Coordinates of all heavy atoms in Angstrom, one line a residue:
M1 N 10.5 -40.1 -17.6 CA 11.2 -39.0 -17.2 C 10.3 -38.1 -16.4 O 9.2 -37.8 -16.7 CB 11.7 -38.2 -18.4 CG 12.5 -37.0 -18.1 SD 13.0 -36.2 -19.7 CE 14.7 -35.8 -19.3
D2 N 10.9 -37.6 -15.3 CA 10.1 -36.7 -14.4 C 9.9 -35.3 -15.0 O 10.8 -34.8 -15.8 CB 10.8 -36.5 -13.1 CG 10.9 -37.8 -12.2 OD1 10.0 -38.6 -12.4 OD2 11.8 -37.9 -11.4
R3 N 8.8 -34.8 -14.8 CA 8.5 -33.4 -15.2 C 9.4 -32.4 -14.4 O 9.7 -32.6 -13.3 CB 7.0 -33.1 -15.0 CG 6.1 -33.9 -15.9 CD 4.7 -33.6 -15.6 NE 4.4 -32.1 -15.8 CZ 3.4 -31.5 -15.3 NH1 2.5 -32.1 -14.6 NH2 3.2 -30.2 -15.6
P4 N 9.8 -31.4 -15.1 CA 10.6 -30.4 -14.3 C 9.7 -29.8 -13.2 O 8.5 -29.7 -13.4 CB 10.9 -29.3 -15.4 CG 10.1 -29.6 -16.6 CD 9.6 -31.0 -16.5
A5 N 10.4 -29.5 -12.2 CA 9.7 -28.9 -11.0 C 9.1 -27.6 -11.4 O 9.8 -26.8 -12.1 CB 10.6 -28.7 -9.8
E6 N 7.9 -27.4 -11.1 CA 7.2 -26.1 -11.4 C 7.1 -25.3 -10.1 O 7.0 -25.8 -9.0 CB 5.8 -26.3 -12.0 CG 5.8 -27.0 -13.3 CD 4.4 -27.2 -13.8 OE1 3.5 -26.6 -13.3 OE2 4.3 -28.1 -14.7
R7 N 7.2 -24.0 -10.3 CA 7.0 -23.2 -9.2 C 5.5 -23.3 -8.7 O 4.6 -23.1 -9.5 CB 7.3 -21.7 -9.6 CG 7.2 -20.8 -8.4 CD 7.6 -19.4 -8.9 NE 7.5 -18.5 -7.8 CZ 7.6 -17.2 -7.9 NH1 7.9 -16.7 -9.0 NH2 7.5 -16.5 -6.8
P8 N 5.3 -23.6 -7.5 CA 3.9 -23.7 -7.0 C 3.2 -22.4 -7.2 O 3.7 -21.4 -6.9 CB 4.0 -24.2 -5.6 CG 5.4 -23.9 -5.1 CD 6.2 -23.8 -6.4
A9 N 1.9 -22.5 -7.6 CA 1.1 -21.3 -7.7 C 0.8 -20.8 -6.3 O 0.7 -21.5 -5.4 CB -0.2 -21.7 -8.4
L10 N 0.8 -19.5 -6.3 CA 0.4 -18.8 -5.0 C -1.0 -19.0 -4.7 O -1.9 -19.0 -5.6 CB 0.8 -17.3 -5.1 CG 2.2 -17.0 -5.2 CD1 2.4 -15.5 -5.4 CD2 3.0 -17.4 -4.0
A11 N -1.3 -19.2 -3.5 CA -2.8 -19.2 -3.1 C -3.3 -17.8 -3.3 O -2.5 -16.9 -3.3 CB -2.9 -19.6 -1.6
P12 N -4.6 -17.7 -3.5 CA -5.1 -16.4 -3.9 C -4.8 -15.3 -2.9 O -4.4 -14.2 -3.3 CB -6.7 -16.6 -3.8 CG -6.8 -18.1 -4.2 CD -5.6 -18.8 -3.6
A13 N -4.8 -15.6 -1.6 CA -4.5 -14.5 -0.6 C -3.0 -14.2 -0.7 O -2.6 -13.0 -0.6 CB -4.8 -15.0 0.8
E14 N -2.1 -15.2 -1.0 CA -0.7 -14.9 -1.1 C -0.4 -14.1 -2.3 O 0.4 -13.1 -2.3 CB 0.1 -16.2 -1.2 CG 0.1 -16.9 0.1 CD 0.8 -18.3 0.0 OE1 0.6 -19.0 -1.1 OE2 1.6 -18.7 0.9
A15 N -1.1 -14.4 -3.4 CA -0.9 -13.7 -4.7 C -1.3 -12.3 -4.5 O -0.7 -11.4 -5.0 CB -1.7 -14.4 -5.8
E16 N -2.4 -12.0 -3.8 CA -2.9 -10.7 -3.7 C -1.9 -9.8 -2.9 O -1.8 -8.6 -3.1 CB -4.2 -10.7 -2.9 CG -4.9 -9.3 -2.8 CD -6.2 -9.4 -2.0 OE1 -6.4 -10.3 -1.3 OE2 -6.9 -8.3 -2.1
L17 N -1.1 -10.4 -2.0 CA -0.2 -9.7 -1.2 C 1.2 -9.8 -1.7 O 2.1 -9.3 -1.0 CB -0.3 -10.1 0.3 CG -1.7 -9.9 0.9 CD1 -1.7 -10.5 2.3 CD2 -2.0 -8.4 1.0
S18 N 1.5 -10.5 -2.8 CA 2.9 -10.8 -3.2 C 3.6 -9.5 -3.5 O 4.8 -9.4 -3.4 CB 2.9 -11.7 -4.4 OG 2.3 -11.1 -5.5
W19 N 2.9 -8.4 -3.9 CA 3.6 -7.1 -4.2 C 4.3 -6.6 -3.0 O 5.2 -5.8 -3.1 CB 2.6 -6.1 -4.8 CG 1.4 -5.9 -3.9 CD1 0.2 -6.5 -3.9 CD2 1.3 -4.9 -2.8 NE1 -0.6 -6.0 -2.9 CE2 0.0 -5.0 -2.2 CE3 2.2 -4.0 -2.3 CZ2 -0.4 -4.2 -1.2 CZ3 1.8 -3.2 -1.2 CH2 0.5 -3.3 -0.7
Q20 N 3.8 -7.0 -1.8 CA 4.4 -6.5 -0.6 C 5.8 -6.9 -0.3 O 6.5 -6.4 0.5 CB 3.5 -6.8 0.6 CG 2.2 -6.1 0.6 CD 1.4 -6.4 1.8 OE1 1.8 -7.1 2.7 NE2 0.2 -5.7 1.9
E21 N 6.2 -8.0 -1.1 CA 7.6 -8.4 -0.9 C 8.6 -7.3 -1.3 O 9.8 -7.4 -0.9 CB 7.8 -9.7 -1.8 CG 7.1 -10.9 -1.2 CD 7.2 -12.1 -2.2 OE1 7.9 -12.0 -3.2 OE2 6.5 -13.1 -1.9
S22 N 8.2 -6.4 -2.2 CA 9.1 -5.3 -2.6 C 8.8 -4.0 -1.9 O 9.3 -3.0 -2.2 CB 8.8 -5.1 -4.1 OG 9.0 -6.2 -4.9
A23 N 8.1 -4.1 -0.8 CA 7.8 -2.9 0.0 C 9.0 -2.3 0.6 O 9.7 -2.9 1.4 CB 6.7 -3.3 1.0
L24 N 9.2 -1.1 0.3 CA 10.3 -0.3 0.9 C 10.1 -0.1 2.4 O 11.1 -0.2 3.1 CB 10.5 1.0 0.2 CG 11.8 1.8 0.3 CD1 12.9 0.9 -0.2 CD2 11.7 3.0 -0.6
C25 N 8.9 0.0 2.8 CA 8.6 0.2 4.2 C 9.0 -1.0 5.0 O 9.1 -0.9 6.3 CB 7.2 0.6 4.4 SG 6.0 -0.5 3.7
A26 N 9.1 -2.2 4.4 CA 9.4 -3.4 5.1 C 10.9 -3.3 5.6 O 11.3 -4.1 6.5 CB 9.2 -4.6 4.2
Q27 N 11.6 -2.4 5.1 CA 13.0 -2.3 5.5 C 13.2 -1.2 6.6 O 14.3 -1.0 7.1 CB 13.9 -1.8 4.3 CG 13.9 -2.9 3.2 CD 14.5 -2.3 1.9 OE1 15.4 -1.5 1.9 NE2 14.0 -2.8 0.8
T28 N 12.1 -0.6 7.0 CA 12.1 0.3 8.1 C 11.1 -0.2 9.1 O 10.5 -1.3 9.0 CB 11.6 1.7 7.6 OG1 10.2 1.7 7.3 CG2 12.4 2.2 6.4
G29 N 10.9 0.5 10.2 CA 9.9 0.2 11.1 C 8.5 0.7 10.8 O 8.4 1.6 9.9
P30 N 7.5 0.2 11.3 CA 6.1 0.7 11.0 C 5.9 2.0 11.6 O 4.9 2.7 11.2 CB 5.2 -0.4 11.7 CG 6.0 -1.0 12.8 CD 7.5 -0.9 12.3
E31 N 6.7 2.5 12.5 CA 6.5 3.8 13.2 C 6.3 4.9 12.2 O 5.4 5.8 12.4 CB 7.6 4.1 14.2 CG 7.8 3.0 15.3 CD 8.7 1.9 14.8 OE1 9.5 2.1 13.8 OE2 8.6 0.8 15.3
L32 N 7.1 4.9 11.2 CA 7.1 6.0 10.2 C 5.7 6.0 9.5 O 5.2 7.1 9.2 CB 8.2 5.9 9.2 CG 9.6 6.3 9.6 CD1 10.5 6.1 8.4 CD2 9.6 7.8 10.0
F33 N 5.2 4.9 9.2 CA 4.0 4.7 8.4 C 2.7 4.7 9.2 O 1.7 4.9 8.6 CB 4.2 3.5 7.5 CG 5.3 3.6 6.6 CD1 6.6 3.3 6.9 CD2 5.1 4.1 5.3 CE1 7.6 3.4 6.1 CE2 6.1 4.3 4.4 CZ 7.4 3.9 4.8
F34 N 2.9 4.5 10.5 CA 1.7 4.6 11.4 C 2.0 5.6 12.5 O 2.1 5.1 13.7 CB 1.3 3.2 11.9 CG 0.9 2.3 10.8 CD1 1.8 1.5 10.2 CD2 -0.4 2.3 10.3 CE1 1.4 0.6 9.1 CE2 -0.9 1.5 9.3 CZ 0.1 0.6 8.7
P35 N 2.2 6.8 12.2 CA 2.6 7.8 13.2 C 1.5 8.1 14.2 O 0.3 7.9 13.9 CB 3.0 9.1 12.4 CG 2.1 9.0 11.2 CD 2.0 7.5 10.9
E36 N 1.9 8.6 15.3 CA 0.9 9.0 16.3 C 0.1 10.2 15.7 O 0.7 10.9 14.9 CB 1.6 9.5 17.6 CG 2.4 8.4 18.3 CD 1.4 7.4 18.9 OE1 0.3 7.8 19.5 OE2 1.7 6.2 18.9
P37 N -1.1 10.3 16.2 CA -1.9 11.5 15.7 C -1.2 12.8 15.9 O -0.6 13.0 16.9 CB -3.2 11.4 16.5 CG -3.3 10.0 16.9 CD -1.9 9.5 17.1
G38 N -1.2 13.6 14.8 CA -0.5 14.9 14.9 C 1.0 14.8 14.5 O 1.6 15.9 14.3
S39 N 1.6 13.6 14.4 CA 3.0 13.5 14.0 C 3.1 13.7 12.5 O 2.2 13.4 11.7 CB 3.5 12.2 14.4 OG 3.5 12.0 15.8
S40 N 4.3 14.0 12.1 CA 4.6 14.2 10.6 C 4.6 12.9 9.9 O 5.0 11.8 10.3 CB 6.0 14.8 10.5 OG 6.3 14.9 9.1
T41 N 4.0 13.0 8.6 CA 4.1 11.8 7.7 C 5.1 12.1 6.6 O 5.1 11.3 5.6 CB 2.7 11.6 7.1 OG1 2.3 12.8 6.4 CG2 1.7 11.2 8.1
R42 N 5.8 13.2 6.7 CA 6.7 13.6 5.6 C 7.8 12.5 5.3 O 8.0 12.2 4.1 CB 7.5 14.8 6.0 CG 8.3 15.4 4.9 CD 9.1 16.7 5.2 NE 8.3 17.6 6.0 CZ 8.7 18.6 6.7 NH1 10.0 18.7 6.9 NH2 7.9 19.4 7.4
E43 N 8.4 11.9 6.3 CA 9.4 10.8 6.0 C 8.8 9.6 5.3 O 9.3 9.1 4.4 CB 10.1 10.4 7.2 CG 11.1 11.4 7.8 CD 11.8 10.9 9.0 OE1 12.7 10.0 8.8 OE2 11.5 11.4 10.1
A44 N 7.6 9.2 5.8 CA 7.0 8.1 5.2 C 6.6 8.4 3.7 O 6.9 7.5 2.8 CB 5.7 7.7 6.0
K45 N 6.1 9.5 3.5 CA 5.7 9.9 2.1 C 6.9 10.0 1.2 O 6.9 9.6 0.0 CB 4.9 11.2 2.1 CG 3.6 11.1 2.7 CD 2.9 12.4 2.7 CE 1.5 12.3 3.3 NZ 0.8 13.6 3.3
F46 N 8.1 10.5 1.8 CA 9.3 10.5 1.0 C 9.7 9.1 0.6 O 10.0 8.9 -0.6 CB 10.4 11.2 1.8 CG 11.7 11.2 1.1 CD1 12.0 12.1 0.1 CD2 12.7 10.2 1.4 CE1 13.2 12.1 -0.5 CE2 13.9 10.2 0.8 CZ 14.2 11.2 -0.2
L47 N 9.7 8.2 1.5 CA 10.0 6.8 1.2 C 9.1 6.2 0.1 O 9.5 5.5 -0.8 CB 10.1 5.9 2.4 CG 11.3 6.2 3.3 CD1 11.1 5.4 4.6 CD2 12.6 5.9 2.7
C48 N 7.8 6.5 0.3 CA 6.8 6.0 -0.7 C 7.1 6.5 -2.1 O 6.9 5.8 -3.0 CB 5.4 6.4 -0.3 SG 4.7 5.6 1.2
G49 N 7.6 7.7 -2.1 CA 8.0 8.3 -3.4 C 9.1 7.5 -4.1 O 9.3 7.6 -5.3
L50 N 9.9 6.8 -3.3 CA 11.0 6.0 -3.9 C 10.6 4.6 -4.1 O 11.4 3.8 -4.6 CB 12.2 6.1 -2.9 CG 12.7 7.5 -2.5 CD1 13.8 7.3 -1.5 CD2 13.3 8.2 -3.8
C51 N 9.4 4.2 -3.7 CA 9.0 2.8 -3.7 C 8.5 2.4 -5.1 O 7.6 3.0 -5.6 CB 8.0 2.6 -2.6 SG 7.5 0.9 -2.4
D52 N 9.0 1.2 -5.5 CA 8.6 0.7 -6.9 C 7.1 0.3 -6.9 O 6.6 0.1 -8.0 CB 9.5 -0.4 -7.3 CG 10.9 0.0 -7.6 OD1 11.1 1.2 -7.9 OD2 11.8 -0.8 -7.5
I53 N 6.6 0.0 -5.8 CA 5.2 -0.6 -5.8 C 4.2 0.4 -5.2 O 3.1 0.0 -4.8 CB 5.2 -1.9 -5.0 CG1 5.7 -1.7 -3.6 CG2 6.0 -3.0 -5.7 CD1 5.4 -2.9 -2.7
R54 N 4.5 1.6 -5.4 CA 3.6 2.6 -4.8 C 2.2 2.5 -5.3 O 1.2 2.6 -4.5 CB 4.2 4.0 -5.1 CG 3.4 5.2 -4.5 CD 4.1 6.5 -4.7 NE 3.3 7.6 -4.3 CZ 2.5 8.2 -5.1 NH1 2.5 7.9 -6.4 NH2 1.7 9.2 -4.7
E55 N 2.0 2.4 -6.6 CA 0.7 2.3 -7.2 C -0.1 1.1 -6.6 O -1.3 1.2 -6.3 CB 0.7 2.3 -8.7 CG 1.2 3.6 -9.3 CD 0.2 4.7 -9.0 OE1 -1.0 4.5 -9.0 OE2 0.8 5.9 -8.8
A56 N 0.5 -0.1 -6.6 CA -0.1 -1.3 -6.1 C -0.5 -1.1 -4.7 O -1.6 -1.5 -4.2 CB 0.8 -2.5 -6.3
C57 N 0.4 -0.5 -3.9 CA 0.1 -0.3 -2.5 C -1.1 0.6 -2.3 O -2.0 0.4 -1.5 CB 1.4 0.3 -1.9 SG 1.2 0.8 -0.1
L58 N -1.1 1.7 -3.0 CA -2.2 2.7 -2.9 C -3.5 2.0 -3.3 O -4.6 2.1 -2.6 CB -2.0 3.9 -3.8 CG -3.1 4.9 -3.8 CD1 -3.4 5.4 -2.4 CD2 -2.7 6.1 -4.7
E59 N -3.5 1.3 -4.4 CA -4.8 0.6 -4.8 C -5.2 -0.4 -3.8 O -6.4 -0.6 -3.6 CB -4.6 0.0 -6.2 CG -4.5 1.0 -7.3 CD -5.6 2.1 -7.3 OE1 -6.7 1.7 -7.1 OE2 -5.2 3.3 -7.5
Y60 N -4.3 -1.1 -3.2 CA -4.6 -2.1 -2.2 C -5.3 -1.4 -1.0 O -6.4 -1.8 -0.5 CB -3.4 -2.8 -1.7 CG -3.7 -3.8 -0.6 CD1 -4.0 -5.1 -0.8 CD2 -3.6 -3.4 0.8 CE1 -4.3 -6.0 0.2 CE2 -3.9 -4.3 1.8 CZ -4.2 -5.6 1.5 OH -4.5 -6.4 2.6
A61 N -4.7 -0.3 -0.6 CA -5.3 0.4 0.6 C -6.7 1.0 0.3 O -7.6 0.9 1.1 CB -4.3 1.6 0.9
L62 N -6.9 1.4 -1.0 CA -8.2 2.0 -1.4 C -9.2 0.8 -1.4 O -10.3 1.0 -1.0 CB -8.1 2.7 -2.7 CG -7.2 4.0 -2.7 CD1 -7.1 4.5 -4.1 CD2 -7.9 5.1 -1.8
T63 N -8.8 -0.3 -2.0 CA -9.7 -1.4 -2.2 C -10.1 -2.0 -0.9 O -11.2 -2.4 -0.7 CB -9.0 -2.5 -3.1 OG1 -8.7 -1.9 -4.3 CG2 -9.9 -3.7 -3.2
H64 N -9.1 -2.1 0.1 CA -9.4 -2.7 1.4 C -9.8 -1.7 2.4 O -9.8 -2.0 3.6 CB -8.2 -3.5 1.8 CG -8.0 -4.7 0.9 ND1 -7.3 -4.7 -0.3 CD2 -8.5 -6.0 1.0 CE1 -7.3 -5.8 -0.9 NE2 -8.0 -6.7 -0.1
D65 N -10.0 -0.5 2.0 CA -10.4 0.6 2.9 C -9.6 0.7 4.2 O -10.1 0.7 5.3 CB -11.9 0.3 3.3 CG -12.6 1.6 3.7 OD1 -12.2 2.7 3.4 OD2 -13.6 1.5 4.5
E66 N -8.2 0.7 3.9 CA -7.3 0.9 5.0 C -7.5 2.2 5.6 O -7.4 3.2 4.9 CB -5.9 0.7 4.5 CG -5.5 -0.7 4.1 CD -5.4 -1.7 5.3 OE1 -5.4 -1.3 6.4 OE2 -5.3 -2.9 5.0
R67 N -7.8 2.3 6.9 CA -8.2 3.6 7.5 C -7.0 4.3 8.2 O -7.1 5.5 8.5 CB -9.2 3.3 8.6 CG -10.5 2.7 8.1 CD -11.3 3.8 7.4 NE -12.5 3.3 6.7 CZ -13.7 3.3 7.1 NH1 -14.0 3.8 8.3 NH2 -14.7 2.8 6.4
F68 N -5.9 3.5 8.5 CA -4.8 4.1 9.3 C -3.5 4.1 8.5 O -3.3 3.1 7.8 CB -4.7 3.4 10.6 CG -6.0 3.4 11.4 CD1 -6.8 2.3 11.5 CD2 -6.4 4.5 12.1 CE1 -8.0 2.3 12.2 CE2 -7.5 4.5 12.8 CZ -8.4 3.4 12.9
G69 N -2.7 5.1 8.8 CA -1.3 5.0 8.3 C -1.2 5.6 6.9 O -2.1 6.0 6.2
V70 N 0.1 5.6 6.4 CA 0.4 6.1 5.1 C 0.5 4.8 4.2 O 1.2 3.9 4.5 CB 1.8 6.8 5.1 CG1 2.2 7.2 3.7 CG2 1.6 8.1 5.9
W71 N -0.2 4.9 3.1 CA -0.2 3.8 2.1 C 0.0 4.4 0.7 O -0.8 5.4 0.4 CB -1.5 3.0 2.1 CG -1.7 2.1 3.3 CD1 -2.1 2.6 4.5 CD2 -1.6 0.7 3.4 NE1 -2.2 1.5 5.4 CE2 -1.9 0.4 4.7 CE3 -1.2 -0.3 2.5 CZ2 -1.9 -1.0 5.2 CZ3 -1.3 -1.6 2.9 CH2 -1.6 -1.9 4.3
G72 N 0.9 4.0 0.0 CA 1.1 4.5 -1.4 C 1.4 6.0 -1.4 O 1.0 6.7 -2.4
G73 N 1.9 6.5 -0.4 CA 2.3 7.9 -0.3 C 1.2 8.8 0.1 O 1.3 10.1 0.2
L74 N 0.0 8.3 0.5 CA -1.1 9.1 0.9 C -1.5 8.8 2.4 O -1.5 7.7 2.8 CB -2.3 8.9 0.0 CG -2.1 9.3 -1.5 CD1 -3.5 9.1 -2.2 CD2 -1.6 10.7 -1.7
S75 N -1.9 9.9 3.1 CA -2.4 9.7 4.4 C -3.8 9.3 4.4 O -4.4 9.2 3.3 CB -2.3 11.1 5.1 OG -3.2 12.0 4.5
E76 N -4.3 9.0 5.6 CA -5.8 8.6 5.6 C -6.7 9.6 5.0 O -7.5 9.3 4.2 CB -6.2 8.4 7.1 CG -5.4 7.4 7.9 CD -4.3 8.1 8.7 OE1 -3.7 9.1 8.3 OE2 -4.0 7.6 9.8
Q77 N -6.4 10.9 5.3 CA -7.3 12.0 4.8 C -7.1 12.1 3.3 O -8.1 12.2 2.6 CB -6.9 13.3 5.5 CG -7.8 14.5 5.0 CD -9.2 14.3 5.4 OE1 -9.5 13.7 6.5 NE2 -10.1 14.8 4.6
E78 N -5.9 11.9 2.8 CA -5.7 12.1 1.4 C -6.3 10.9 0.6 O -6.9 11.1 -0.5 CB -4.2 12.1 1.1 CG -3.6 13.4 1.6 CD -2.1 13.4 1.7 OE1 -1.5 12.3 1.8 OE2 -1.5 14.5 1.6
R79 N -6.3 9.7 1.2 CA -6.9 8.5 0.5 C -8.5 8.7 0.5 O -9.1 8.4 -0.4 CB -6.6 7.2 1.2 CG -5.1 6.8 1.0 CD -4.9 5.4 1.4 NE -5.3 5.1 2.8 CZ -4.5 5.3 3.8 NH1 -3.3 5.8 3.7 NH2 -5.0 4.9 5.0
Y80 N -9.0 9.3 1.6 CA -10.4 9.5 1.7 C -10.8 10.5 0.6 O -11.8 10.3 -0.1 CB -10.7 10.1 3.1 CG -12.2 10.5 3.3 CD1 -13.2 9.6 3.4 CD2 -12.5 11.9 3.3 CE1 -14.5 10.0 3.6 CE2 -13.8 12.3 3.4 CZ -14.8 11.4 3.6 OH -16.1 11.8 3.7
E81 N -10.0 11.6 0.5 CA -10.4 12.6 -0.5 C -10.2 12.0 -2.0 O -11.1 12.3 -2.8 CB -9.4 13.8 -0.4 CG -9.8 14.6 0.9 CD -8.7 15.6 1.3 OE1 -7.7 15.8 0.5 OE2 -8.8 16.2 2.4
L82 N -9.2 11.2 -2.2 CA -9.1 10.5 -3.5 C -10.3 9.6 -3.8 O -10.8 9.6 -4.9 CB -7.8 9.7 -3.5 CG -7.5 8.9 -4.8 CD1 -7.5 9.8 -6.0 CD2 -6.2 8.1 -4.7
K83 N -10.7 8.9 -2.8 CA -11.9 8.0 -3.0 C -13.1 8.8 -3.4 O -13.9 8.5 -4.3 CB -12.2 7.1 -1.8 CG -11.3 5.9 -1.7 CD -11.6 5.1 -0.5 CE -12.5 3.9 -0.9 NZ -12.6 2.9 0.1
R84 N -13.3 9.9 -2.7 CA -14.4 10.8 -3.0 C -14.3 11.4 -4.4 O -15.4 11.4 -5.1 CB -14.5 12.0 -1.9 CG -15.0 11.5 -0.6 CD -15.3 12.6 0.3 NE -16.2 13.6 -0.3 CZ -16.5 14.8 0.2 NH1 -15.9 15.2 1.3 NH2 -17.3 15.6 -0.4
R85 N -13.1 11.8 -4.8 CA -13.0 12.4 -6.1 C -13.3 11.3 -7.2 O -14.0 11.5 -8.2 CB -11.6 12.9 -6.3 CG -11.3 14.2 -5.7 CD -10.1 14.9 -6.2 NE -8.9 14.1 -6.1 CZ -8.1 14.0 -5.1 NH1 -8.3 14.7 -4.0 NH2 -7.0 13.3 -5.1
R86 N -12.8 10.1 -7.0 CA -13.0 9.0 -7.9 C -14.5 8.7 -8.0 O -15.1 8.4 -9.0 CB -12.2 7.7 -7.5 CG -10.8 7.8 -7.8 CD -10.1 6.5 -7.5 NE -8.7 6.6 -7.9 CZ -7.9 5.5 -7.7 NH1 -8.3 4.4 -7.1 NH2 -6.6 5.6 -8.1
A87 N -15.2 8.6 -6.8 CA -16.6 8.3 -6.8 C -17.4 9.4 -7.5 O -18.4 9.1 -8.1 CB -17.1 8.2 -5.3
G88 N -16.9 10.6 -7.5 CA -17.6 11.7 -8.1 C -17.5 11.7 -9.6 O -18.3 12.3 -10.3
R89 N -16.6 10.9 -10.1 CA -16.4 10.9 -11.6 C -17.3 9.8 -12.2 O -17.3 9.7 -13.4 CB -14.9 10.5 -11.9 CG -14.0 11.8 -11.8 CD -12.7 11.5 -12.4 NE -11.8 11.1 -11.3 CZ -10.7 10.4 -11.4 NH1 -10.4 9.9 -12.6 NH2 -10.0 10.1 -10.4
R90 N -17.9 9.0 -11.4 CA -18.7 7.9 -11.9 C -20.0 8.4 -12.4 O -20.6 9.3 -12.0 CB -18.9 6.8 -10.9 CG -17.6 6.1 -10.6 CD -17.7 5.0 -9.7 NE -16.4 4.5 -9.4 CZ -16.1 3.9 -8.2 NH1 -17.0 3.7 -7.3 NH2 -14.9 3.5 -8.0
Ligands
SF4_1 S1 4.3 2.8 -1.2 FE1 5.0 3.3 0.9 S2 3.6 2.2 2.2 FE2 3.4 1.3 0.2 S3 4.8 -0.4 0.2 FE3 5.9 1.3 -0.6 S4 7.0 2.3 1.1 FE4 5.4 0.9 1.9

């Protein structure tokens, strides 16, 4: 008898990014999340606030030192400040 088909394991890189399948921003364009300098990030942050994977997104951005755009509801500057605060607690 054949073994039941198993779901193939994700390759490490795919597994690391699998949370992005639920990304609310994937349903919009990137323009909101990568605004021109000086443009508002309010709409992007609003959508992030509704996104189920906000925490995973933010941690990914912090871990991978994403320098541009809104990730996990925080702008570049806000992520930089969060990293500094976390580093100060060590
Ligand atoms: S938290 Fe924001 S940037 Fe991250 S996946 Fe969700 S909508 Fe996109």
Side-chain angles (χ1 to χ4, degrees):
M1 180 182 222
D2 291 334
R3 294 177 58 199
E6 292 179 21
R7 185 176 178 190
L10 295 173
E14 291 173 319
E16 185 183 12
L17 298 175
S18 64
W19 56 268
Q20 292 185 356
E21 292 172 7
S22 303
L24 200 53
C25 55
Q27 299 169 32
T28 68
E31 303 82 23
L32 283 180
F33 294 85
F34 295 94
E36 294 292 321
S39 299
S40 174
T41 57
R42 187 182 315 160
E43 286 182 72
K45 289 178 178 179
F46 176 79
L47 289 173
C48 291
L50 302 174
C51 184
D52 290 338
I53 56 169
R54 183 173 172 268
E55 290 298 321
C57 175
L58 178 58
E59 292 308 318
Y60 177 88
L62 294 172
T63 300
H64 293 85
D65 205 21
E66 292 288 350
R67 300 282 170 101
F68 303 102
V70 173
W71 291 75
L74 298 185
S75 67
E76 302 97 324
Q77 182 65 31
E78 291 164 337
R79 290 194 306 277
Y80 174 76
E81 291 167 5
L82 177 58
K83 279 183 99 164
R84 284 190 54 191
R85 284 197 303 274
R86 285 183 176 181
R89 280 191 266 157
R90 291 183 188 153

